[in-house]
Amino acid sequence: MPRKIIIDTDPGQDDAVAILLALASPEEIEVLGITAVAGNVPLELTAKNARIVCELAGHTDVPVYAGCDRPLNRPLVTAEHVHGKTGLDGPVLPDPEMPLAEGHAVDFIIDTLRAHEPGTVTLCPLGPLTNIATAFRKAPDIIDRVQEIVLMGGAYFEVGNITPTAEFNIYVDPEAADIVFKSGIRIVVMPLDVTHDALVTPHRNDAFRALDSKVGHAVAEMTDFFERFDIEKYGSEGAPLHDPCVTAYLIKPDLFSGRHINVEIETQSELTLGMTVADWWGVTDRSPNAMFISDVDAQGFFDLLTERLARL
Ligand code: RIB
Ligand code: CA
């Protein structure tokens, strides 16, 4: 029985690969819809890029909704320096022909959770948590209906990638993240601690190219672009595929391991705004609220990803 999910996303090359992996895995995942949020690039571009990816995957049947165009109560911070001005720099892909679905993404999230049995829909946020938090504020009744949240965001041992202490998705909308982490919903967190192990080395990127398909070449070209930032900054062997860790977890959870701990969000301090304060060593009496993933079988992750992308 495939898991029903909503992917909330700010594509972003790594978001794109996460969406492709989900669409290539119908036995495990049924994508009810994709909701775009402002993050890596402004909303108009994330909503466009999500449709570009659906068309690349040959899945124009998946509705794509535009959501919030800025954080709850802060100006938008974007990441063109990482993802390029289109947010999907690298491959040359045609503009989408599929239209945006009617209605706001937040209302789609609310309506979908109300229309399905409680505990049967998983939310998979891959960007700032603005759409999710707005839906919870607008319709608190849906909170208890969410099966699980599996998100990419945060960092502890790996510390920040947009500030010394904060990871981008949390940093852009820390108040939204605070609402989500205090919701009481089961949350699985894919922080930089694990995503920085999911590196697209040249050998792994060659395996994408060797698929010799539209998707294979597009993913390799996205990675060629996307990896510059991380190689320059970290001297790493390649781009960390952050968001596909979320989709891979849904397909093969035992590739990953972590700890169920307390994670709270810094929303006051200018110095550490957006930090995920993870009580990894259990030094507080704050109750655990998140499965904080720290490790991945990186080769197993890439073997799965490459095998599934070959299906598209
Ligand atoms: O910090 C990495 C996260 O920020 C990823 O989701 C990337 O796509 C950006 O949204
Ligand atoms: Ca993202």
Side-chain angles (χ1 to χ4, degrees):
M1 191 57 177
R3 193 192 278 234
K4 297 180 190 304
I5 74 169
I6 294 173
I7 299 177
D8 189 71
T9 179
D10 65 335
Q13 290 87 347
D14 61 316
D15 301 68
V17 179
I19 294 166
L20 291 170
L21 178 55
L23 296 176
S25 308
E27 308 89 334
E28 295 93 351
I29 297 172
E30 180 187 350
V31 182
L32 300 177
I34 294 176
T35 51
V37 66
N40 284 320
V41 285
L43 175 69
E44 190 191 341
L45 283 173
T46 60
K48 174 181 174 186
N49 293 341
R51 287 177 285 153
I52 288 175
V53 175
C54 287
E55 291 186 350
L56 175 65
H59 271 277
T60 53
D61 55 316
V62 176
V64 176
Y65 294 83
C68 299
D69 64 0
R70 51 160 295 167
L72 295 181
N73 45 19
R74 291 175 183 278
L76 177 63
V77 172
T78 52
E80 285 87 349
H81 61 291
V82 178
H83 299 277
K85 65 179 180 356
T86 71
L88 214 47
D89 283 27
V92 177
L93 296 168
D95 282 355
E97 287 176 17
M98 67 185 280
L100 275 174
E102 284 294 306
H104 195 285
V106 167
D107 295 322
F108 170 72
I109 293 169
I110 294 167
D111 297 345
T112 303
L113 282 164
R114 284 178 174 161
H116 287 81
E117 280 303 300
T120 61
V121 175
T122 291
L123 302 180
C124 297
L126 309 178
L129 291 161
T130 317
N131 284 344
I132 310 298
T134 303
F136 290 176
R137 272 181 163 174
K138 185 172 180 183
D141 61 288
I142 66 171
I143 293 175
D144 290 343
R145 302 179 74 88
V146 178
Q147 177 178 27
E148 188 170 48
I149 293 175
V150 185
L151 67 85
M152 191 278 142
Y156 186 58
F157 294 104
E158 201 65 13
V159 293
N161 62 357
I162 187 81
T163 73
T165 55
E167 177 278 326
F168 179 78
N169 289 341
I170 309 296
Y171 178 72
V172 169
D173 201 340
E175 285 77 15
D178 194 39
I179 288 170
V180 170
F181 277 77
K182 285 181 177 156
S183 67
I185 297 169
R186 271 159 50 92
I187 300 179
V188 178
V189 182
M190 293 286 165
L192 298 179
D193 302 48
V194 64
T195 68
H196 277 186
D197 287 340
L199 296 179
V200 189
T201 58
H203 174 71
R204 288 167 176 166
N205 209 28
D206 288 346
F208 295 148
R209 237 183 293 277
L211 293 174
D212 200 18
S213 62
K214 230 177 14 143
V215 167
H217 286 299
V219 169
E221 287 155 17
M222 284 183 203
T223 302
D224 286 340
F225 182 87
F226 174 62
E227 70 180 11
R228 310 150 13 271
F229 171 77
D230 288 87
I231 291 175
E232 207 173 296
K233 174 171 179 179
Y234 296 103
S236 54
E237 268 187 282
L241 275 185
H242 307 287
D243 295 335
C245 287
V246 168
T247 327
Y249 176 83
L250 298 176
I251 299 166
K252 223 171 166 189
D254 47 15
L255 286 172
F256 298 89
S257 61
R259 268 186 202 173
H260 192 233
I261 59 171
N262 177 269
V263 179
E264 306 223 351
I265 312 297
E266 177 57 66
T267 59
Q268 305 304 314
S269 153
E270 276 312 301
L271 184 62
T272 58
L273 185 71
M275 180 176 183
T276 44
V277 181
D279 187 6
W280 182 263
W281 302 111
V283 297
T284 76
D285 55 2
R286 295 195 286 257
S287 53
N289 61 332
M291 182 64 188
F292 201 78
I293 301 296
S294 55
D295 293 290
V296 63
D297 162 4
Q299 195 49 50
F301 168 75
F302 276 93
D303 292 346
L304 172 70
L305 178 55
T306 309
E307 173 240 316
R308 293 296 166 101
L309 291 179
R311 297 175 167 185
L312 295 174

